[in-house]
Amino acid sequence: MRNRWLALVASWLCLLPMVAQQNYRPEGRAFVCENGNNRYTRALYGGPTDYRIETSDRPVFAIAKKGHHRHVAFKVNGIDLENAAYCKAWYVDGMRSYRLRDKRLGKTDVLVDVVALHNREGAVWRLMSGDNSLDVTCTLSGVKQPKLHRNGDLGVDSRDCFDAAQNDADRQVVKCPNSSPVYVVVMLDKVVNMSPDQQAQLFAEAVAYNQKMASRVTFDTPDPYINTLGGALVMAADGDWDGQTWLHGCVGWRMPLAGWRAGYLGDVLGWNDRARSHFDAYARSQVNKVSATQSHPAQDEKQHLARAEKRWGTPMYSNGYICRNPNRNDQMHHYDMNLNYIDELLWHFQYNADIAYIRKMWPVVERHLEWEKRNFDPDGDHLYDAYCCIWASDALYYNGGAVTHSSAYNYRANLLAARMAELIGRDPKPYQHEAAAILDAMNSRLWLEDKGHWAEYEDLMGLKRKHESAAVWSIYTPIDCGACSPEQAYRATRYVDHAIPHIPVRGDYATISTTNWQPYDWSINNVAAAEVMHTALAYYQAGRTDAAYRLMMGNIIDQMYEGQSPANFGQISKYDAARGECYRDFGDCIGISSRTLLQGLFGIQPQALFGKCIIRPGFPSSWDHASVNTPYLSYTYRRMGRKVMIEVDQHFSKPLKIVLRVNMGGGLYRDVEGTTEQHQVLTVEEPVRLPDVELHEAVTIPDATPIDEPTFDRKFVKQRLTPYYNANVTDIFRQEYRTPRPPYTTLQIPVQGVGEWCHPDYCPEIVDSAFRASIVNDEFVMMGVPFATPAEGQNIVFTSLWDNYPDSVTIPLKGRAAKAWLLMAGSTNHMQSHITNAEIVVHYADGTTDTLPLVNPDNWCPIDQDYYIDGKAFRAPMPRPYRVSLATGTVSRNLGKALHLGGPAQRNIPGGAAQMLCMPLKSHKPLASITLRTCSNDVVVGLMGLTLQ
């Protein structure tokens, strides 16, 4: 009874809001702070170059451009402005402004504004103080850290990297004429002389340009935390534009990239010209004169077979492949950027179904579909392998399997290619057939009807099992691609509610991790803003508007208000245990945030290929009004009781029929058709919907005495395993696992049986010296449990689906026992998480059996690592199994603590570790045998000792 009460209390506590510091607050459309202390965290982007002005919560600045980094500081009346007693700062429309108050500055407030120039690499500061003239000195200095790791980005370069360098011989000190206002103009990295009128005009022009830019998209809602986002979104997107293409990121990853989700920006924010520029540039980088002359598989020996060999003429590096950089089709890269690029191109046609442009881009789409089929569905079963084709690609591999997210992308691509073919007079039937076949295969093989969601993937090799523990991308992608029914979309988002870790942010807002997988690897289990926003979009698409809003707002509060950078569309959250808050204005997050806000919250979903635009408002049930303005469509929403009225103005290149989609509950909806008129008003009675209750994991409190805590009420009977040993435990990563492997080009585990395609050389050394040294008379004792094991020679029986070892071993037993104690060691990895890696089967003399599944992370641990458990993104049943460090002899349920290991990314155990498990038995039944059987691909599972009790 006590344990039940503790469990209930713990579940209540986990739902209480976390009290995190909110650095910024909304005022109108501005992000505001008072007396903040974040330095160089809000960038102001000028034109399409890498030039930016770094601003802080106080008026201390930096010019950021490779080779021209400068610290910028101001004094007024001899007082450093950043030391003012009071400072209110706000960011709006691409400008950072300050109100300073300090008796040393005089009786009136000092106002400071700074704006970057859009048509040249420079910036203008304006300083004012009522009627008083200001004595202003501006100093430009070199920076403390001129060589930056990631361009001075948050979380990767030091907080003080842009502080002034000491003893800078090239320092520029400018004494400004006493006046108010005072302007300071910087071109590149120097203060330049201009007349006051010229300075004022330059400042006014820059402010007007930014205000016009920011006003492209505006939001007016009952929530002030939303009303700031329209202009912030546009300005971040503009910073991600290099004049021809959308970039990987504005700051730390400022480089071209065909994939991920930045390519949505052009259309969602109404830049049709930018969209076409981006798509044209990468269309020119598609390979079109290199036939696939070599057959599958084409794996790279130098990369330990983990990924494809970079050689022209292989199935991957041949016609249809889109290369790394725009306008060049001769640069190989290791990602499949095709899927995201094509999906974004297809969205472009949904915003503007220009027949001439469809015809122009048709060969690009056609070659892409042929390339995807050739590489990732070579067996023709209509389910596609995934080859690092989404943001969460690093360390993600599927060993040639049938994958949900890549199959969904190919479904949508074929479905819309069929429509494109119809519009330009091509045969749509092959694409219609492939789309239908993909959907049928997804429903029959990947959809888990009893669970209500898709599997992550189905194995090509081995037992051909389904991996049921899906990541968020295996939920939001099929929903976003329309590869489901409305009921499936609704049910699948419920899986996210209860299976994906939720981390409280504020009130009833929460953010989520991308998976529940272990052990940690980069991009596998992170709190990534773009993934949260895409999941929220899927909730909107499933009609779960209140749940979608809470999830979206959890990310917005986390990133933009609680984080260190106001209005930040960052990559990784401060709630991420491995990386913490890092990377600002990341193209992937800006892109999908634009869709979540405009297609999700405001529900504007153009379908120009079919002549209509759906409006499906995703507002919380408490809202009674909202409005949105974009270059292509604006509307005002009003709710009066159950009556909803929407007044629409559309400005698409070709008028579309407006369709109002009304959520009915459970994922269902009904459509109310409008017309193609530019201005129209639609009214509808909202149905009564059942409340949408989210389901979150409960906290489990274990029994006071766990089953694997040794007791000594029965005799221990050691079993001699020497006749069955087939290896030393140290051999596990000292050999090559070459067969069986997929017959197709794929991403797979390296030949040494550990690591992944981003780290193909990873090969930890297993050292059992201390373990061997602790053996006395061929006996090792662990927590009082004795095991028979030799001090020299082979000491483990390995099983595996690799040909190196048998897939199972059976050892005869005699007598009766209440428990079997198992000393085990072996491998596992994140791609085998929450699935039975192996099983122990005890056979009784009467023909019955008992089975102990070995599941990562519940009771099966990787020999080279210790799991990181924090109860947030990283969860596992407690207590943990006892483990023994093979190199030190340390025994603990928490080797990470005992060996002083670090966070999620620093969990390698020097020398490796074995573990002890206890299997309850039916003590009244005579024993016949015990079988160890490996079930998962990739892994090697070994038995070192067996003792009956």
Side-chain angles (χ1 to χ4, degrees), residues 337-391:
M337 296 291 179
N338 284 51
L339 274 184
N340 284 172
Y341 167 83
I342 292 296
D343 192 69
E344 290 156 350
L345 176 63
L346 294 172
W347 267 111
H348 174 70
F349 294 134
Q350 292 286 48
Y351 280 81
N352 184 356
D354 180 355
I355 297 300
Y357 194 60
I358 292 175
R359 187 171 285 112
K360 174 184 174 179
M361 299 299 281
W362 174 253
V364 176
V365 175
E366 193 173 37
R367 283 191 293 265
H368 158 77
L369 293 174
E370 292 170 354
W371 182 82
E372 281 283 331
K373 189 76 173 174
R374 179 172 71 247
N375 279 280
F376 307 122
D377 185 28
D379 60 359
D381 68 350
H382 307 291
L383 292 177
Y384 289 70
D385 188 10
Y387 191 104
C388 52
C389 55
I390 57 174
W391 172 82

Side-chain angles (χ1 to χ4, degrees), residues 467-542:
H467 291 249
E468 297 186 357
S469 183
V472 294
W473 50 79
S474 294
I475 304 301
Y476 68 64
T477 308
I479 294 173
D480 193 17
C481 291
C484 59
S485 67
E487 295 87 350
Q488 284 177 309
Y490 180 85
R491 293 181 66 196
T493 58
R494 304 283 286 184
Y495 162 82
V496 176
D497 288 351
H498 68 77
I500 296 298
H502 283 60
I503 303 170
V505 174
R506 184 170 294 274
D508 58 354
Y509 299 152
T511 189
I512 57 175
S513 58
T514 54
T515 71
N516 58 9
W517 302 352
Q518 295 249 40
Y520 172 80
D521 211 331
W522 166 246
S523 92
I524 293 300
N525 186 339
N526 291 98
V527 183
E531 297 298 296
V532 181
M533 292 299 270
H534 211 152
T535 305
L537 175 61
Y539 275 56
Y540 280 120
Q541 292 164 333

Side-chain angles (χ1 to χ4, degrees), residues 170-235:
D170 194 31
R171 179 173 299 179
Q172 183 186 19
V173 179
V174 177
K175 180 74 169 60
C176 302
N178 285 17
S179 66
S180 182
V182 173
Y183 294 94
V184 175
V185 177
V186 168
M187 293 299 177
L188 192 57
D189 58 3
K190 299 290 183 183
V191 176
V192 298
N193 289 321
M194 284 187 175
S195 70
D197 289 344
Q198 290 174 318
Q199 293 173 329
Q201 182 179 353
L202 196 62
F203 179 82
E205 288 175 352
V207 170
Y209 177 88
N210 280 0
Q211 288 177 343
K212 182 179 179 181
M213 176 70 72
S215 66
R216 294 180 67 84
V217 175
T218 60
F219 305 143
D220 182 16
T221 76
D223 191 339
Y225 287 85
I226 291 292
N227 298 339
T228 58
L229 300 184
L233 177 64
V234 172
M235 299 312 293

Side-chain angles (χ1 to χ4, degrees), residues 511-735:
T511 189
I512 57 175
S513 58
T514 54
T515 71
N516 58 9
W517 302 352
Q518 295 249 40
Y520 172 80
D521 211 331
W522 166 246
S523 92
I524 293 300
N525 186 339
N526 291 98
V527 183
E531 297 298 296
V532 181
M533 292 299 270
H534 211 152
T535 305
L537 175 61
Y539 275 56
Y540 280 120
Q541 292 164 333
R544 299 186 60 198
T545 55
D546 285 337
Y549 188 76
R550 288 191 292 270
L551 183 57
M552 180 187 74
M553 286 304 298
N555 181 72
I556 288 170
I557 297 294
D558 167 23
Q559 287 278 313
M560 301 184 181
Y561 293 98
E562 288 184 356
Q564 299 175 60
S565 174
N568 183 30
F569 293 87
Q571 186 192 52
I572 300 298
S573 165
K574 67 177 178 295
Y575 295 106
D576 186 275
R579 300 299 294 271
E581 185 181 11
C582 64
Y583 299 123
R584 292 170 290 156
D585 292 343
F586 190 57
D588 188 52
C589 184
I590 307 169
I592 194 58
S593 295
S594 71
R595 290 192 58 206
T596 303
L597 287 164
L598 286 161
Q599 295 182 359
L601 176 64
F602 287 94
I604 303 171
Q605 302 165 22
Q607 295 187 7
L609 288 170
F610 303 93
K612 61 184 178 181
C613 177
I614 294 169
I615 299 178
R616 187 182 190 178
F619 306 134
S621 53
S622 60
W623 284 15
D624 61 2
H625 73 277
S627 65
V628 58
N629 291 284
T630 77
Y632 49 86
L633 186 143
S634 301
Y635 75 77
T636 299
Y637 167 94
R638 294 184 183 87
R639 178 192 283 135
M640 297 150 286
R642 288 178 54 195
K643 183 179 179 181
V644 169
M645 182 181 74
I646 293 186
E647 186 174 357
V648 182
D649 283 284
Q650 62 163 308
H651 306 284
F652 292 103
S653 59
K654 182 179 179 181
L656 303 178
K657 177 188 283 188
I658 302 300
V659 177
L660 177 60
R661 181 159 290 177
V662 181
N663 292 315
M664 304 285 287
L668 301 177
Y669 56 82
R670 67 184 177 95
D671 288 343
V672 177
E673 293 194 355
T675 69
T676 59
E677 293 179 2
Q678 178 182 340
H679 178 84
Q680 53 191 291
V681 177
L682 292 86
T683 58
V684 65
E685 287 282 329
E686 276 197 328
V688 176
R689 290 188 284 165
L690 294 175
D692 182 19
V693 181
E694 293 174 83
L695 307 172
H696 295 300
E697 287 184 314
V699 175
T700 301
I701 302 296
D703 292 336
T705 304
I707 189 66
D708 65 341
E709 192 65 42
T711 59
F712 303 94
D713 53 339
R714 287 176 174 267
K715 179 182 177 182
F716 292 108
V717 181
K718 298 176 291 184
Q719 306 297 301
R720 185 170 175 269
L721 302 183
T722 304
Y724 305 96
Y725 289 149
N726 57 13
N728 295 315
V729 68
T730 56
D731 294 337
I732 187 169
F733 303 134
R734 292 178 178 174
Q735 55 193 295

